Amino acid sequence: MDPERKKVVERVAVSTFPDEVLERVLVQLKSHKDRSSVSLVCHSWYDAERFSRTHVFIANCYSVTPEIVSRRFPNIRSVSLKGKPRFSDFNLVPPNWGANIRSWLVMFAAKYPFLEELRLKRMTVTDESLEFLALSFPNFKALSLFSCDGFSTDGLAAIATHCKNLAELDIQENDLNDKSGSWLSCFPENFSSLEVLNFANLSNDVNFEALERLVSRCKSLKVLKVNRNITLEQLPRLLIRAPLLTELGTGSFLQEHPACQYSELENAFNKCMNLNTLSGLSEVTALSLPALYPACANLTFMNLSCAALQSGEFAKLLVHCPCLRRLWVLDTVEDKGLEAVGSNCPLLEELRVFPTDPFDEDTFHGVTESGFIAVSYGCRRLSYVLYFCRQMTNAAVATIVQNCPDFTHFRLCIMNPWQPDYQTNEPMDEAFCAVVKSCTKLQRLAVSGLLTDLTFEYIGKYAKNLETLSVAFAGSSDWGMQCVLGGCPKLRKLEIRDCPFGNAALLSGLDKYESMRSLWMSDCKVTMNGCRVLAKEMPRLNVEVIKVDGSNESQADKVYVYRSVAGPRRDAPPFVLTL
Amino acid sequence: MSIPLEHNYIGLTETSSMERGSDKLSSSSSSTLSTEDERSSTLNLKETELRLGLPGSESPGRKPGLGVSLFGKDLEDKNNGYSPNSLKNLVSGAKRGFSDAIDGSSGKWVLSMSNGSEVDLGKGAVLFSPRSGNGGKPLVGLEGKNNTQQSCLSAKPTMKEASSVPQSSKPVQEKKPQVPAGNEHGSAPAAKAQVVGWPPIRSFRKNTMASNLAKNNEEGEGKTGSRCLYVKVSMDGAPYLRKVDLKTYKNYMELSSALEKMFSCFTIGQCGSHGLRGRDGLNERCLRDLLHGSEYVLTYEDKDGDWMLVGDVPWEMFTDSCKRLRIMKGSDAIGLAPRAMEKCKSRD
């Protein structure tokens, strides 16, 4: 664009729309996707956007450096960061891989002294970092750690001790060193700002009286999720002190002395008028469950994935939960339980069925295709499913997606790899064909079972909105992966393990990877040479190979490819080779 | 006297359709052998004959069921690589005493049974309940793996963390992600060799579940007396096990009726095979008669590992010491004592 024209445009822009106004308007924009779009309109919009942005979401901590972020966004109050590739949750990434929060914290302390919120997923966080965090940000309000590692309860103690304005402490599913529950007692006696407390996955006892006092003081407490050491006798004492609770995660739901405390429990739940989310319920039995019924009327999310319920008691519970939109269960409820879901939860949008005993193959348990079908008939609004089972048929999946064409997330895990349709003995290709054809809004797909390249042909051809694809033990040749990379215009994340895809497949995506967040391929047929070619052709991608001990020199065991403006990692451990 | 009974069990004579295993054996080896597994046909016959009358012979009654009920035709591709493995899985837990006695050859024998059994199935032999499809689970994975030999081009000769499945007979190296190791005594899942990170379940959930299972298997000790107490229940001839929580029953009657309901679908001859759950009243009645009659007895394995008849000791004592339950054919139970002696003999 020639300079003359540019000046005209800018002058016009300034006179009709002062930056301050624009910024005021843009502050209302919360979605980072919208903000990205706004920033691309023109320079003044880019500037207005960057000054008005208070929350930054960095989906891959290695895609950008702290310096770049702080230069662009000077007014950040809230940061969300994701680190390791998702398959690290399943032990596919060796320890000490990286994604350490430290360098980010140092930058934040320098550039964002008023930082209020930090939400981390799959990052490595040490106790020193937590203490640094606690001491560096006087306004710090919210800490959420999900699937992180590297810290212990000492770090939590530092947070509790020093963060005077803490409103949210959410410690979920982390690989932490749980030394003791004494961290909870570190909240000062005058501390009262907590609104969200989630320590459900910690295993050590906390001092109950300290917890009771804490809950008493924090009048705005809305979310309380305790760990399984909190007993059913203790629960009512917490509930009566937290009348504003909207999300509750109970501890153990095991009744030790049936008669006496049941009424107390019932009373406490009677008063929980505002609950919309319920979880916990470990060790629940049919005897203690009915105490919950009064509190279930407005529940929209019930997480029973730690509660080994049988179908009968589960069905009775569901009768009291007509408003459920999200439900997580264990497969102990079996198909019968899922039939009850279909009958009682017409508003259901999300269902996750977790396996109780994923490694025990000889005992029958769990759910089959019938349960899934039953849910699909009763819950037509279903849009998110995560389903672990041991058998499935193409016909069943076809029926399911015919009933529920609005799926945006379809994650089916047939737990035995390479398993065909158990009735026809054919591959499960047609199942996923049905999924991608019927569910035009599909954003996330996880496939399983015996699959040939045909599945991937279908995916490439029909899954126009697909953003995330997870593949394991599937495909017949490079062609499969090529189809996906050649189709799927909106693909952002592709994670593959144990598939027969090699260099030809890898290199067919050359043009695609820069528009994607990342690619993960482990235990496929990719070689070091293939990766080197990729790295050479696409210098703006980071092509990293994780070498596993004892593997063949030329094999690229685990390949992680991602776009980055930060250049190659400077903190890579020895087993990560950047090509 | 026990020998003729055992002959009956093995089914050289016409027996009720309840005798699942015996049915397979009885429809003479020739019919079983007329199926795919030609190569071991004569051998099977011999193996069969050898096994007649031996105490260990009834265990396989259960195992072939697994092969049969599920797959019918699917057994085509089954070859030695899989079945001994799965059967080892099944056999190892069946009778403690006999797992020592059963060797590879008997494993093979059982294999032949399972190959043959599909023919029996086709000929209207004892059917498992329509739910038997579900029961196919234990072998499903194996089937799947077997069948994908053609399509799976995974180059890696070994999975890093894969179990050592006896695959030497297979021409193509392939990954066997899941090996059903004998886990019938409720040992921790970690004891099985598995593929790393499969199924894709986060560690915290695995740990939660493991500790749940461990707690459930404890015998009422610990901080409360009212823990749930899950024990596995197997039934001879049924394709899969169930689990019951002993704490939910107050006496033997309740336990017995619960088990009847649970297993009624397996036992009756011509169950409808169209996806019904065998809740047909006729079937339940039959089972009840059977359980109360002499056809089936309920036995349990106690803390010491001995198999005892259920009902002899007070209920509380029973729940304290019961580790697992087994619904045995009456003929076996009568042989309990003599078999115990056989146990000792075979060990020597």
Side-chain angles (χ1 to χ4, degrees), chain B residues 154-224:
Chain B
S154 33
K156 295 268 183 269
T158 53
M159 287 293 291
K160 310 278 177 311
E161 250 79 4
S163 61
S164 51
V165 173
Q167 291 300 314
S168 48
S169 56
K170 284 208 150 57
V172 170
Q173 293 231 352
E174 61 177 10
K175 295 183 202 173
K176 291 290 172 286
Q178 279 175 322
V179 176
N183 200 24
E184 309 221 337
H185 294 287
S187 53
K192 283 191 187 157
Q194 293 137 18
V195 174
V196 173
W198 191 264
I201 299 164
R202 292 215 189 90
S203 337
F204 97 94
R205 188 170 293 286
K206 276 193 259 189
N207 295 339
T208 311
M209 284 305 112
S211 66
N212 262 351
L213 291 176
K215 272 192 183 162
N216 290 343
N217 290 338
E218 275 168 20
E219 289 173 335
E221 292 166 25
K223 62 180 183 175
T224 72

Side-chain angles (χ1 to χ4, degrees), chain A residues 211-391:
Chain A
L211 176 62
E212 208 177 355
R213 286 197 303 275
L214 180 65
V215 171
S216 262
R217 294 199 296 277
C218 298
K219 309 272 184 240
S220 308
L221 195 67
K222 298 209 182 45
V223 175
L224 179 62
K225 299 183 184 176
V226 299
N227 68 9
R228 40 194 312 156
N229 300 346
I230 302 294
T231 67
L232 204 53
E233 291 74 39
Q234 293 169 324
L235 186 62
R237 289 158 63 180
L238 295 176
L239 290 181
I240 56 174
R241 288 169 171 81
L244 297 182
L245 223 50
T246 57
E247 295 185 25
L248 172 65
T250 74
S252 160
F253 227 69
L254 186 66
Q255 260 184 303
E256 303 193 16
H257 306 291
C260 47
Q261 17 100 322
Y262 190 87
S263 52
E264 216 184 301
L265 193 63
E266 244 188 335
N267 284 337
F269 276 114
N270 258 321
K271 302 219 174 67
C272 289
M273 307 273 57
N274 302 317
L275 276 189
N276 58 45
T277 298
L278 182 65
S279 60
L281 300 176
S282 59
E283 299 174 307
V284 68
T285 66
L287 299 170
S288 50
L289 205 49
L292 275 183
Y293 295 168
C296 293
N298 297 320
L299 277 189
T300 55
F301 177 26
M302 196 154 64
N303 177 355
L304 300 171
S305 59
C306 296
L309 284 178
Q310 306 298 309
S311 57
E313 60 223 14
F314 177 58
K316 290 198 194 117
L317 172 64
L318 284 180
V319 169
H320 299 267
C321 311
C323 301
L324 274 187
R325 290 184 204 279
R326 300 173 64 201
L327 178 61
W328 296 14
V329 291
L330 277 181
D331 64 1
T332 50
V333 303
E334 297 185 347
D335 289 335
K336 267 198 107 174
L338 294 182
E339 284 165 27
V341 173
S343 312
N344 289 296
C345 307
L347 300 179
L348 199 70
E349 293 166 7
E350 174 178 329
L351 175 69
R352 302 195 196 196
V353 182
F354 294 96
T356 325
D357 225 348
F359 309 111
D360 183 2
E361 289 180 23
D362 49 276
T363 310
F364 167 73
H365 37 230
V367 294
T368 72
E369 76 279 9
S370 336
F372 200 170
I373 293 176
V375 173
S376 75
Y377 275 112
C379 309
R380 300 290 175 133
R381 298 191 197 182
L382 208 55
S383 58
Y384 190 122
V385 75
L386 170 61
Y387 201 81
F388 283 87
C389 58
R390 286 204 187 278
Q391 66 183 50

Side-chain angles (χ1 to χ4, degrees), chain B residues 2-124:
Chain B
S2 59
I3 294 178
L5 280 172
E6 282 165 345
H7 270 298
N8 277 345
Y9 174 84
I10 290 169
L12 292 184
T13 62
E14 285 301 312
T15 56
S16 81
S17 54
M18 303 293 305
E19 302 282 329
R20 186 75 194 77
S22 47
D23 212 7
K24 276 185 291 302
L25 295 167
S26 66
S27 47
S28 69
S29 314
S30 54
S31 69
T32 63
L33 298 172
S34 63
T35 61
E36 291 76 13
D37 204 354
E38 271 110 22
R39 72 193 102 107
S40 45
S41 56
T42 37
L43 197 55
N44 292 341
L45 189 47
K46 283 191 191 136
E47 298 285 359
T48 305
E49 287 169 359
L50 279 173
R51 288 294 175 272
L52 291 181
L54 281 183
S57 56
E58 53 271 59
S59 335
R62 183 149 67 101
K63 310 317 171 284
L66 261 151
V68 184
S69 61
L70 311 179
F71 296 108
K73 293 185 273 255
D74 297 354
L75 293 174
E76 277 155 26
D77 290 332
K78 242 169 126 85
N79 54 32
N80 296 333
Y82 274 117
S83 308
N85 210 31
S86 61
L87 293 170
K88 203 189 298 177
N89 170 32
L90 305 166
V91 161
S92 63
K95 278 223 174 340
R96 251 182 68 258
F98 295 107
S99 52
D100 303 328
I102 290 171
D103 57 12
S105 57
S106 70
K108 222 199 289 180
W109 168 68
V110 183
L111 166 61
S112 73
M113 286 307 105
S114 44
N115 277 340
S117 53
E118 70 185 78
V119 177
D120 296 337
L121 188 62
K123 292 180 182 164

Side-chain angles (χ1 to χ4, degrees), chain A residues 120-137:
Chain A
L120 304 179
K121 190 167 181 180
R122 293 192 201 101
M123 301 283 298
T124 296
V125 183
T126 61
D127 287 341
E128 290 73 31
S129 293
L130 287 175
E131 193 171 355
F132 181 76
L133 171 67
L135 295 170
S136 308
F137 305 102

